[in-house]
Amino acid sequence: MRSVILLLQIYRNTERAIHSIKNMIYNDLKELEVSVDVSATPEGWVQVDLSGEDEEFSANYLLSEYKTPVDKVEPGKEYKGYIQSIKSDRILVNVGIELSIPQSHLKPLGTGNVEQIASRFGIIPYLPVSVDVTDNSEYPKARFTKKQIDMWWDWKKSSTDRVIANSATRSELKSAIKKKGHGKDIYGIERLGVMEHAIVCREDTDGPGIVAEIGKLLISDLGVVVGNG
């Protein structure tokens, strides 16, 4: 048997998250001779136990596709991780270890304090992000990659609002939107992670209004990006 830890975070909606990840991995490996078991580590990462003729190939594929949490970082290197929390003076990102993005590194996202910037771009806990490490001292620091920042600005400059949600499957979001009668008010749902999505509103739909309507039906954190296009 071969076990791998993947850079996919499990939180809150644990049972649904593991079910969704199992389906995703089964689909990835459906052509291979391997059996799969998916669970969560105590730290909340995904553990996949593989056994069978193709277990080594499967493990290498999954690590290549989803990466693995790290226990040390190098300055100048790019890492993928999840927003851990938003503080008054910094944003913390979990890549396996905690990276701090101080307010001074958020200047490419415009003016305001950390919480105002996070609110403007719909940055919520557990959002998957990419960062560049700027130092690996005892408390390592990072900045968001140019690609990450460009994506957020593209959202902000869009002619439509976006609602950002965590801890929800695509079907749960669709169900909440339908129950509130807003199916005709959105273009679709973009996948950001396994349980993290962006609801793309139509031009005449108010993103904050959608948040107010569906928020009570979900266990999600919800952010909103009001398009300026």
Side-chain angles (χ1 to χ4, degrees):
M1 189 178 78
R2 176 79 194 278
S3 295
V4 291
I5 308 297
L6 302 183
L7 190 71
L8 295 170
Q9 199 152 39
I10 300 287
Y11 56 97
R12 284 210 290 269
N13 202 348
T14 303
E15 189 175 326
R16 291 301 300 272
I18 289 178
H19 178 73
S20 294
I21 290 165
K22 275 183 180 177
N23 287 340
M24 182 177 71
I25 290 174
Y26 286 156
N27 189 60
D28 286 342
L29 306 178
K30 62 185 177 183
E31 304 297 331
L32 300 173
E33 293 294 327
V34 64
S35 62
V36 177
D37 184 61
V38 178
S39 59
T41 70
E43 298 76 27
W45 300 112
V46 168
Q47 178 172 323
V48 184
D49 297 325
L50 302 155
S51 58
E53 185 179 331
D54 293 325
E55 64 184 48
E56 191 66 27
F57 180 88
S58 300
N60 291 337
Y61 171 81
L62 292 175
L63 290 171
S64 172
E65 187 73 10
Y66 301 107
K67 312 304 179 191
T68 192
V70 299
D71 56 12
K72 60 182 179 181
V73 293
E74 296 177 35
K77 285 194 68 174
E78 180 180 325
Y79 295 87
K80 293 189 181 300
Y82 290 80
I83 300 290
Q84 182 169 304
S85 59
I86 297 160
K87 306 293 188 182
S88 60
D89 60 345
R90 64 198 187 279
I91 294 176
L92 299 178
V93 175
N94 186 359
V95 299
I97 61 173
E98 183 180 275
L99 301 178
S100 175
I101 301 181
Q103 183 165 347
S104 60
H105 286 181
L106 296 175
K107 289 179 180 177
L109 292 172
T111 58
N113 61 35
V114 174
E115 288 165 341
Q116 288 169 330
I117 290 169
S119 177
R120 181 185 305 144
F121 291 96
I123 300 171
I124 58 174
Y126 303 108
L127 193 64
V129 292
S130 57
V131 298
D132 289 322
V133 171
T134 57
D135 78 68
N136 62 347
S137 60
E138 185 180 357
Y139 303 103
K141 295 183 178 63
R143 67 178 80 244
F144 292 117
T145 62
K146 182 180 184 302
K147 183 178 180 182
Q148 185 70 63
I149 289 168
D150 287 349
M151 185 187 78
W152 283 331
W153 275 117
D154 285 345
W155 288 356
K156 192 66 183 165
K157 293 173 183 176
S158 171
S159 59
T160 63
D161 293 358
R162 274 176 171 78
V163 174
I164 314 302
N166 66 18
S167 192
T169 64
R170 193 185 189 92
S171 61
E172 285 171 335
L173 291 175
K174 283 184 175 179
S175 175
I177 291 164
K178 191 173 181 180
K179 279 180 183 175
K180 289 297 181 177
H182 289 293
K184 65 184 184 304
D185 297 324
I186 71 165
Y187 280 122
I189 299 172
E190 297 174 339
R191 181 183 289 278
L192 303 176
V194 178
M195 301 288 285
E196 302 82 33
H197 299 83
I199 302 166
V200 184
C201 301
R202 290 186 178 274
E203 280 80 1
D204 57 351
T205 300
D206 177 60
I210 295 291
V211 169
E213 285 283 298
I214 69 172
K216 61 196 78 173
L217 300 179
L218 301 165
I219 61 169
S220 308
D221 295 307
L222 297 173
V224 64
V225 186
V226 177
N228 291 334

